[in-house]
Amino acid sequence: MIKKLQSQITAFWSASRQNKLIALTAAAAVIVVGSVLFLVNASSFFAATEPDGGTLTANAKLISDGAASGGKAIQFTTPTPPPPTPPPSGGGSCALPKYPTPACTGVPAGTSFSNTVNGTYTVTTAGQVIDGWYIKGDLHILANNVIVKNSQIDGTVNNQGTGENYYSFTISDSTVGPATGCVGSPGVGESKYTATRIYVRNHDDGFRLSGQGSGTVQDSYFHACWLPPAQAPPDGSHSDGVQAVCGGNACPGFNILHNTLDLKDVPATFPLNLTDTVLSNVVVKDNLLLGGNNYIIDAWWHSGANWIFYNNRLVQGTWGSDTRLIAAVTTEGTCSHQDWQGNTVVTIDSNYNVTSTTQSVPCID
């Protein structure tokens, strides 16, 4: 490279005086013209020439510029990047791309119960830990910061005290509901709770949010049952996978992350029933949703930040006789306050593994 450069320099100085003058003049002209263009337009990224007729697209626009020919110039702006892909939620042995099943939720295999309660148990001590219990009735929580894990509760887990007084708790790796039959109440509720890797079985409702607090349901599995009109008048169970019933008190947040909500075998259902007028700050991500003779998703924003619906999967052919998306999703005219990304219709196998994607699911007013 150095020898080649030396050769070029020697050739230049060996040229005639006239040829050297022509070369130096051309180089000076390039430098002068380039400097003028830089000084005229150094403050912005645009071309100071008169644009030809046509249509500008993408990151270009027409602007006024007195220094340009015709007084107009084309200015280029930095393109707006696409919204970032939201990180996946969920974990455990059924982490994405898998979805929760009875095999990876509920009481872990091999658990030996250290305590058995033959009926309903009521917690009245703050911070109590229930680990490895078998409760053959309901679990009623009347103290704050209660921890429930690795336990089986044949009835309902509920934390409502007197009036609208609710107590905080977490529940993980636990099974809620009897082995047979159908319980006509939510499996887990009602407020200020976090439920992780819960298997709710043989309840006509899965998870409920009410009262004056927030809730999180994550990495959990629910398969709904149904009670006929004789047992749940006047027209049988109105089953929901996750429902907000705030009762006039603000529910300030509901996170529904990487769950399987299976209601395909029961009538008159909403896998996601999020319509309460004082519900706000809803995040729904990475869920597998089946069933709903009405809608799979009924999400009615009323106030606060935009709601988030990312990467949810609606199982094809499970939402009643009308197979159109308009029969599967409604936001009651609030799409301007909904952030929808990556939601699709899918097919699955018997183990809830996604086998194909058939179409995208936009926000539907």
Side-chain angles (χ1 to χ4, degrees), residues 24-364:
L24 290 172
T25 302
V30 170
I31 294 171
V32 170
V33 172
S35 299
V36 170
L37 290 174
F38 177 80
L39 291 172
V40 169
N41 295 319
S43 62
S44 62
F45 182 42
F46 62 82
T49 59
E50 183 177 0
D52 292 332
T55 301
L56 297 177
T57 60
N59 61 319
K61 64 180 180 179
L62 193 64
I63 65 169
S64 298
D65 184 358
S69 175
K72 297 291 184 181
I74 300 172
Q75 183 174 16
F76 298 93
T77 59
T78 302
T80 302
T85 301
S89 55
S93 61
C94 285
L96 289 169
K98 295 182 178 181
Y99 292 90
T101 70
C104 58
T105 57
V107 179
T111 298
S112 296
F113 296 121
S114 60
N115 187 31
T116 299
V117 177
N118 292 309
T120 293
Y121 182 79
T122 301
V123 179
T124 57
T125 302
Q128 181 174 345
V129 177
I130 296 174
D131 186 0
W133 286 28
Y134 178 20
I135 300 172
K136 296 184 177 181
D138 297 332
L139 174 58
H140 199 190
I141 297 172
L142 297 180
N144 284 317
N145 302 318
V146 172
I147 297 173
V148 183
K149 57 185 178 180
N150 307 313
S151 296
Q152 180 172 320
I153 299 97
D154 283 349
T156 293
V157 179
N158 186 284
N159 65 337
Q160 183 174 5
T162 303
E164 294 297 327
N165 190 21
Y166 296 86
Y167 299 87
S168 61
F169 72 96
T170 63
I171 180 170
S172 61
D173 301 297
S174 296
T175 300
V176 178
T180 60
C182 186
V183 179
S185 61
V188 178
E190 301 266 340
S191 179
K192 302 178 183 178
Y193 70 89
T194 297
T196 309
R197 295 180 300 280
I198 304 304
Y199 174 19
V200 177
R201 63 186 185 184
N202 297 317
H203 279 264
D204 63 355
D205 274 345
F207 300 87
R208 180 171 292 178
L209 179 68
S210 62
Q212 302 169 334
S214 59
T216 295
V217 180
Q218 183 165 355
D219 298 330
S220 295
Y221 173 87
F222 169 59
H223 188 279
C225 63
W226 185 76
L227 293 172
Q231 295 176 267
D235 53 358
S237 295
H238 287 211
S239 301
D240 296 299
V242 176
Q243 182 181 22
V245 185
C246 300
N249 298 292
C251 294
F254 210 172
N255 301 307
I256 305 164
L257 312 172
H258 189 238
N259 305 285
T260 299
L261 303 175
D262 186 349
L263 294 91
K264 69 180 184 300
D265 299 324
V266 300
T269 64
F270 295 94
L272 292 177
N273 187 348
L274 306 172
T275 62
D276 197 287
T277 58
V278 291
L279 175 66
S280 61
N281 299 316
V282 171
V283 178
V284 181
K285 292 172 53 180
D286 300 311
N287 298 283
L288 186 66
L289 307 171
L290 301 83
N293 282 357
N294 294 307
Y295 298 103
I296 284 188
I297 299 175
D298 193 352
W300 192 350
W301 176 94
H302 290 278
S303 64
N306 290 351
W307 290 7
I308 293 173
F309 283 80
Y310 288 167
N311 301 328
N312 299 288
R313 310 290 176 236
L314 283 59
V315 178
Q316 181 173 285
T318 64
W319 61 80
S321 58
D322 190 340
T323 59
R324 298 174 303 163
L325 283 179
I326 198 170
V329 176
T330 180
T331 63
E332 311 285 350
T334 65
C335 276
S336 61
H337 294 286
Q338 307 272 0
D339 182 3
W340 285 61
Q341 295 184 37
N343 304 296
T344 59
V345 176
V346 300
T347 60
I348 61 172
D349 63 19
S350 58
N351 292 317
Y352 298 95
N353 296 307
V354 172
T355 54
S356 69
T357 299
T358 63
Q359 61 183 306
S360 62
V361 179
C363 185
I364 301 173

